[in-house]
Amino acid sequence: MQNQLKSKESRWTILKLLKWAAAYFKSHRIENPRAAAEILLAHTLRKERIDLYVCYDQPLGSKELQYFKTLIKRRIDREPVAYITGIKEFWSLELEVNPDVLIPRPETECLVEAVCGKISGDFRQVPRRILDLGTGSGAIVLALASRARGALFFASDRSARAVRLARQNARRHRLENRIHFFCGDWLKALKSGGSGFDIIVSNPPYIKTGLIAGLQPEVCRYEPVQALDGGEDGLDSLRLIIHQAPRYLNDGGRLFLEIGFDQKQGVQDIITESGGYDEIVFGQDYSGLDRVVSMKKKG
């Protein structure tokens, strides 16, 4: 790679470099090689991806080539593109991300959609208090806050660094005055019997401990294990939240959770065991896999 990029600068136009980088990524079995090349080159040149094709015959300077080379090496080492650029789009919002937080996934937008289905419509029906547990980058709470202007939002994470990043993302989108961020291990930071919530939403860890080492290198080597590890059966965090949430939900309040594609029966058993809910609904992601569950507090 180094020798190839030592050729005359004039040879390396944007289009030629894109074609070369995409082929190089493909030869190393990098997923979505063309997209990765476009994103990293756009980041190098501080352009939008679409602008690469407007300026396709623009040559790169030696410093630009050198910087792009370092980004290519990081991707070949299987570092996620989002961590390399520091940015990931979610719900049409650009979010800052780093290795302190999980990279937001498209399937989590299905969780946001499920919650939005309950907070849209007549303003009087908008829940006033919504809590996002394990907020990470703030993706879920920011997506909801951008949609439900009449609600008051709360978001927690046990990682102080994650909370700091989520606050930065809130400021980035001018939503910081509508969200109260705090550090807490799930529901431990809350007082039982205080002001309750109309909705609690969470994308908790749900991968079995024994499966984590076998995940893609982008995940198991770079993303925070505490945001992935759901315990021996993958249900530890889900179990805790389902059992404890009724104490913090208002009457008729709802709990929304993201789950693993193969966890429907296990989650259903936990809900039945808790005895605290009715109106239980499972939803699918864009691939038709079980991914979201919602339930209403009894009483």
Side-chain angles (χ1 to χ4, degrees):
M1 179 176 72
Q2 187 174 0
N3 291 335
Q4 289 173 295
L5 290 180
K6 280 185 176 179
S7 301
K8 292 182 180 180
E9 294 174 12
S10 59
R11 175 190 167 196
W12 290 110
T13 63
I14 286 176
L15 185 59
K16 288 181 179 178
L17 199 55
L18 275 179
K19 290 180 178 179
W20 175 83
Y24 189 69
F25 282 148
K26 186 176 181 180
S27 70
H28 284 76
R29 300 182 179 179
I30 298 296
E31 285 190 357
N32 303 312
R34 183 73 178 200
E38 290 175 353
I39 293 169
L40 295 180
L41 187 55
H43 179 72
T44 297
L45 300 175
R46 298 182 181 180
K47 295 179 180 292
E48 298 294 326
R49 284 172 69 180
I50 188 65
D51 294 333
L52 297 177
Y53 294 95
V54 175
C55 309
Y56 67 93
D57 57 349
Q58 173 186 319
L60 273 70
S62 58
K63 289 184 179 179
E64 291 169 332
L65 280 171
Q66 182 64 27
Y67 183 60
F68 187 51
K69 183 181 76 173
T70 66
L71 302 190
I72 290 174
K73 184 179 184 304
R74 290 170 67 181
R75 186 66 190 103
I76 292 298
D77 288 340
R78 305 302 289 268
E79 184 175 354
V81 170
Y83 287 158
I84 296 173
T85 64
I87 294 291
K88 180 66 176 180
E89 184 174 303
F90 181 86
W91 201 258
S92 299
L93 301 172
E94 273 200 351
L95 303 177
E96 292 181 40
V97 295
N98 62 39
D100 293 321
V101 300
L102 199 69
I103 298 170
R105 267 64 166 177
E107 54 264 31
T108 301
E109 292 192 353
C110 299
L111 178 63
V112 173
E113 288 174 359
V115 178
C116 285
K118 291 297 180 184
I119 62 178
S120 60
D122 194 302
F123 179 81
R124 290 171 297 178
Q125 300 299 317
V126 175
R128 300 296 178 141
R129 293 170 60 85
I130 299 174
L131 170 64
D132 174 24
L133 289 173
T135 193
S137 64
I140 293 171
V141 73
L142 291 173
L144 294 173
S146 71
R147 179 74 172 266
R149 296 287 174 178
L152 180 60
F153 292 90
F154 301 80
S156 72
D157 200 290
R158 64 182 176 184
S159 165
R161 291 181 178 179
V163 171
R164 190 179 305 121
L165 183 62
R167 282 200 183 103
Q168 288 176 205
N169 281 322
R171 285 193 292 270
R172 183 186 185 97
H173 294 286
R174 300 180 181 179
L175 294 168
E176 69 273 21
N177 293 330
R178 299 189 46 232
I179 307 169
H180 175 66
F181 292 97
F182 62 98
C183 236
D185 187 2
W186 299 127
L187 294 152
K188 289 181 181 179
L190 301 173
K191 291 183 179 180
S192 182
S195 298
F197 299 96
D198 300 290
I199 283 178
I200 295 176
V201 57
S202 183
N203 174 20
Y206 53 72
I207 298 174
K208 294 178 181 178
T209 303
L211 298 180
I212 291 176
L215 297 175
Q216 291 178 308
E218 287 87 346
V219 179
C220 67
R221 284 167 44 188
Y222 290 96
E223 299 203 67
V225 68
Q226 65 270 22
L228 300 167
D229 193 344
E232 185 177 352
D233 64 356
L235 299 171
D236 282 1
S237 297
L238 289 162
R239 186 179 290 110
L240 184 150
I241 295 170
I242 290 169
H243 278 282
Q244 294 187 1
R247 282 183 266 168
Y248 304 93
L249 283 167
N250 292 328
D251 289 343
R254 294 179 180 271
L255 174 63
F256 290 81
L257 299 168
E258 181 171 325
I259 65 173
F261 72 93
D262 58 352
Q263 294 178 330
K264 179 177 180 179
Q265 188 57 56
V267 170
Q268 178 67 69
D269 291 343
I270 294 170
I271 296 170
T272 301
E273 177 185 291
S274 77
Y277 306 93
D278 54 23
E279 296 186 23
I280 301 153
V281 179
F282 287 87
Q284 286 72 49
D285 61 19
Y286 303 127
S287 299
L289 302 172
D290 293 313
R291 189 65 62 182
V292 176
V293 61
S294 67
M295 60 205 83
K296 180 181 178 182
K297 177 183 174 180
K298 286 183 178 178

